Every structure is written in structure tokens, then in C-alpha cells.
Amino acid sequence: MRSFELYLDESGEFVNEDKAISPSLIGGILVKKDDLSLEKAEKIMQEALSSVPGKYVHINDLTKIDQKLSARVAVDIMQNVRAIPAYVVVFSNKELLDFKDDKLLYLNIMAEGIVNLLEKLSLEKADPIELNVIAAVRRNLKINDDKSIIEAEEYSSRIKERIYMKMAEKKLYLSKNCKVNFKLSSARKNPKLMIADAVCNSKLTINSRKFNDEQRKILNNIYDNSKYIFSVFKPDIQKKISEYLMQNNIVDAIFLLSEENDEKQSKELVSLVINNINTMPI
């Protein structure tokens, strides 16, 4: 069994998505179990924040004080992610779907994203997967008082319910071969989630003025070369191709590939088709 840890935070408000400059997203880092120790994560954050006066643990908080410094810290963290080694993961609402409820949209992006990630990992290799998800506690953004913190038990329960419902939609393949553990932690105390915060904030604000051209090029290179950047509400063609591959239905998957117009997606799907063929039992 392959075992992974997925550290996730969020950026954006998850409301009025059709009017947003950038779609809200959930993102962070995927590591093989035990590849990222607490000490290693703390060292990454300490080194990135060594020139920062005061105590800041969120990129957005630092941006309000000094945009240039915030950009430099974010890029330093992102460059260190590859050395862990870790994979950058992003679940975005690229289609700008709006549920008129920030909590509902967040829960659906989280569940869709995790299932899409499991699907991609399963197609890469047939071994069973254990995915340990550690997500930052968030607020219900509609209310600004102490009662706005989503209860941990409700939050975890609703996430897991949606994950397993979506896994069941994948013809039970994921349900039989994947195990998902989900828990919450504080992004202001857990250095691994502080790294996830840098991934989210950098992706959301990559086209903002705080980054210079060189920094933006570095970040774009990191995101463009990540295997796990998802627009969670996938177009029907991409969704159907993935379903065919999960069922080892190569013929229909190849037929649908001819209808995919997104060049980057086509290359990724071709790679998955070839990998699926190579891993099929003879």
C-alpha cells in the first residue's frame, strides 16, 4: 500500500465566484508518509521568515505589511517544496461555479479535489492507497464572530461523507482500493500547513503586482510542472475519459481523446492512457 500525507489550506472567499478576479481554491502539498518531519517543515519556515521582523505565519498577513517581502518569502517556501520532496496540489474552481454558500462550495471543492487526486494516483499505479488529509481549520466567512468557526466534528464528518459518496460514483473502484483519513489542524501552529498556505496564496495572487516578473516565472514553472493541479469540476469529456481508464476501457478512452481541445489536458490524458496500458495485466 502506498501511503501519502496531504496538507491543505485555502485561499479566496468561496462566495460571488462569478465576480471574483481569481477563483477560490484549496491547495497545499502531497508527500509520501514520513517524508516531511515537523522539524524539516519548521526549518523551511524559519529560513523563509528569517528576514521578517515580527511574527507572521500567513502570507496574506505579511502581504498587508510588506508586499515585496511577502513575495520573497512565498517564493522561498515554494522553491523549498521541491526539495522535500513534495508535490504541489491545487483544487480550483476554474469554472467559477457559485453555490451561494461559502461553506457548501468549500466542502464540494475539497471532496471533488481529493477524489480527483485519488483517481490520478490510482491511474499512475495500481497499488492500494492510504491518503492522510490534514486540513486547516477554516471559518464560515458569512459570520464574523467566535461562533463562526465550523465545528471540527461537523466539518470532518461532512467532508468524509462527500468524499466517500464521490468515491462510490467511480464504480466502487476507489472505495475498494483507497482509504482516506481526515483531520484538522491549525495553520497558525502547524508549519506543514504554513507551507500549504504559501502554495494557496501564491497561486491565487500569482498575477498580482506583489510578484516581479522573475518571481512569477519561478512560480509558474512550479505550477506548470505539477501533476496535481485540478479544476475540480472537470468538463464532461475529461471526466468520462478518467472513468474509462479506471475501468481499463482503453478503446473508448482513446476514442474520446480525439475530442479533447485542451492541449495540456490532452498530453496528460495521453500519458495516463499509456501508463494504464503498461500496467494492465497481460
Side-chain angles (χ1 to χ4, degrees), residues 8-70:
L8 295 173
D9 201 0
E10 63 175 278
S11 282
E13 297 189 355
F14 296 86
V15 289
N16 299 321
E17 290 289 283
D18 53 336
K19 299 174 184 175
I21 297 173
S22 299
S24 298
L25 57 88
I26 295 169
I29 53 173
L30 176 72
V31 295
K32 291 181 180 177
K33 190 175 181 181
D34 301 325
D35 268 8
L36 179 60
S37 66
L38 195 61
E39 292 74 22
K40 186 186 283 189
E42 287 174 344
K43 184 179 179 182
I44 289 172
M45 293 304 302
Q46 287 169 1
E47 289 178 353
L49 294 168
S50 60
S51 61
V52 178
K55 186 176 182 180
Y56 295 92
V57 295
H58 275 196
I59 298 299
N60 193 47
D61 294 342
L62 183 54
T63 301
K64 295 173 184 176
I65 306 299
D66 189 327
Q67 288 196 0
K68 292 185 184 298
L69 185 56
S70 168

Side-chain angles (χ1 to χ4, degrees), residues 155-168:
Y155 184 97
S156 297
S157 175
R158 291 181 67 180
I159 287 284
K160 285 190 284 191
E161 176 186 344
R162 276 172 169 74
I163 290 170
Y164 280 99
M165 283 178 64
K166 292 182 182 301
M167 286 168 66

Side-chain angles (χ1 to χ4, degrees), residues 29-31 35-37 40-41 43-44 47 75-88 195 222:
I29 53 173
L30 176 72
V31 295
D35 268 8
L36 179 60
S37 66
K40 186 186 283 189
K43 184 179 179 182
I44 289 172
E47 289 178 353
V75 172
D76 285 348
I77 294 171
M78 292 295 291
Q79 288 181 305
N80 276 311
V81 164
R82 291 185 291 187
I84 292 174
Y87 295 102
V88 169
I195 295 172
I222 292 171

Side-chain angles (χ1 to χ4, degrees), residues 261-273:
N261 295 319
D262 187 317
E263 185 177 350
K264 184 180 178 183
Q265 284 294 334
S266 291
K267 288 180 179 178
E268 291 182 4
L269 290 166
V270 167
S271 177
L272 287 174
V273 169

Side-chain angles (χ1 to χ4, degrees), residues 214-244:
E214 183 181 352
Q215 291 169 332
R216 194 172 292 109
K217 183 178 180 180
I218 291 170
L219 292 174
N220 275 321
N221 182 58
I222 292 171
Y223 290 118
D224 288 346
N225 285 287
S226 173
K227 300 187 290 183
Y228 307 120
I229 306 294
F230 300 97
S231 176
V232 294
F233 302 107
K234 293 190 290 187
D236 289 341
I237 289 178
Q238 294 173 18
K239 187 181 294 185
K240 197 64 182 176
I241 290 173
S242 296
E243 288 177 2
Y244 282 146

